[in-house]
Amino acid sequence: MKNHADRVFESVRSSTAAARSAVAASWRRSFDRYGLDPSQRQEPRAVDESTLLRQKEAAGHLMHLAEPRLDELYGMIAHCGAAVFLTDRDGVVLSGRARPGDQGAFREWGLEAGRDWSEAAQGTNGIGTCLAERRALIIHRDEHFMAHNTGMSCIDAPVFGADGALVAALDVSSARADQTESLNQLIAAMVTRLSIQLETDLFRAEFSNRRILMTGEETSGAHLLAVDSDDIVVGASRAARQAFGIVREGAFDKRPLRDLTGEASVGLQGAERSAVLRAITRAGGNLSEAARELGIGRATLYRRMKRLGISER
């Protein structure tokens, strides 16, 4: 009977396995890209205390907003003997929750603050593969790459910041041998919901002085737009960026809300100021082009901008 390492080696040598299975594709990355051996026990690398402190300080805003969400998730799954962890974008565990009687077991697994659970360090695992593939997933027992990790079930969802960039992973791990697929799916729904709520918290905090619009269902992420008083979109969550074809992360060219959704805010539709600002925004700040769109001369546009209190900047 083949052991776990033999099955992994057989998969990575196959020319078709990676195309048929996301897990097999991760196993191939773990072997080819990171040079890992599934039969070798490799304890998760621990960063030193000063490095961990710096990483926590760098993630201070995230940590502040995440701690209540971790408590909420832990309150829902603690009775199952599972633990909750938050990592940074590189897979280093920043914070965790586990029952006192279970903490020793999770520590033996290497699931504690300061440990590196990136895919490069531990091969296919919930945290690392979630971050590598930027999607919610379940890595159940023998789907792990390392043989010594196959006693765990790991359920993860990525967390994206207000600028659409990956900032963290939210993880629930369990070493229960009787953990069923139906229980995994139930926990996965909780993890995904909490990760979306954390993304919403981050977005609202970043754009606390803007109006926030929800533009779609949250099943695939928080669809949020930040809009200024002139109906110009100045911020978009990752899910909203995907929905509206905006650059995936980072800064983007501001654009009128109407151009994205076909709608304007109640009370603003048809307002002269908004019409002028939309034209300028569409033109990327080129006033001659904006004037042409409005069907007026450049000098007329300047006078109108002055009257409406619109800066040339």
Side-chain angles (χ1 to χ4, degrees), residues 148-179:
H148 62 267
N149 288 334
T150 56
M152 293 188 292
S153 293
C154 301
I155 302 162
D156 289 76
V159 178
F160 297 98
D163 63 352
L166 181 66
V167 296
L170 187 59
D171 169 81
V172 169
S173 289
S174 170
R176 285 181 52 166
D178 61 347
Q179 185 120 331

Side-chain angles (χ1 to χ4, degrees), residues 7-184:
R7 289 195 294 273
V8 173
F9 283 130
E10 182 179 287
S11 175
V12 299
R13 293 185 187 113
S14 168
S15 60
T16 60
R20 298 195 307 266
S21 163
V23 169
S26 176
W27 284 0
R28 173 70 68 83
R29 281 197 305 272
S30 302
F31 183 78
D32 287 348
R33 186 180 303 175
Y34 307 126
L36 299 176
D37 183 341
S39 65
Q40 297 297 311
R41 184 172 184 85
Q42 188 164 317
E43 298 293 338
R45 180 183 67 88
V47 301
D48 59 65
E49 289 187 12
S50 60
T51 299
L52 179 60
L53 181 60
R54 286 196 300 272
Q55 287 173 296
K56 285 186 174 183
E57 289 175 346
H61 185 55
L62 168 67
M63 296 285 289
H64 173 72
L65 294 172
E67 294 293 354
R69 296 300 184 187
L70 295 179
D71 289 338
E72 182 181 351
L73 182 56
Y74 176 67
M76 292 188 288
I77 57 87
H79 67 284
C80 300
V84 175
F85 299 96
L86 180 77
T87 79
D88 67 10
R89 64 186 179 186
D90 298 317
V92 175
V93 178
L94 298 177
S95 184
R97 307 283 190 280
R99 292 189 303 186
D102 296 328
Q103 289 175 356
F106 285 110
R107 192 174 299 114
E108 288 182 10
W109 287 105
L111 278 165
E112 61 180 339
R115 296 285 185 164
D116 180 0
W117 278 89
S118 64
E119 198 177 66
Q122 284 293 307
T124 306
N125 73 89
I127 293 168
T129 304
C130 164
L131 292 169
E133 299 184 359
R134 299 187 173 210
R135 66 182 181 91
L137 48 73
I138 300 171
I139 300 297
H140 182 59
R141 298 180 70 80
D142 63 2
E143 291 178 330
H144 284 81
F145 181 80
M146 297 292 195
H148 62 267
N149 288 334
T150 56
M152 293 188 292
S153 293
C154 301
I155 302 162
D156 289 76
V159 178
F160 297 98
D163 63 352
L166 181 66
V167 296
L170 187 59
D171 169 81
V172 169
S173 289
S174 170
R176 285 181 52 166
D178 61 347
Q179 185 120 331
T180 63
E181 182 179 350
S182 60
L183 179 58
N184 281 345

Side-chain angles (χ1 to χ4, degrees), residues 290-309:
R292 284 195 295 272
E293 179 179 330
L294 290 167
I296 59 178
R298 184 182 173 93
T300 302
L301 176 59
Y302 272 113
R303 288 194 298 272
R304 191 168 296 182
M305 288 170 61
K306 184 177 181 179
R307 175 169 56 82
L308 295 170

Side-chain angles (χ1 to χ4, degrees), residues 192 196 216-221 223:
T192 298
I196 292 172
E217 296 295 328
E218 286 197 343
T219 52
S220 61
H223 288 66

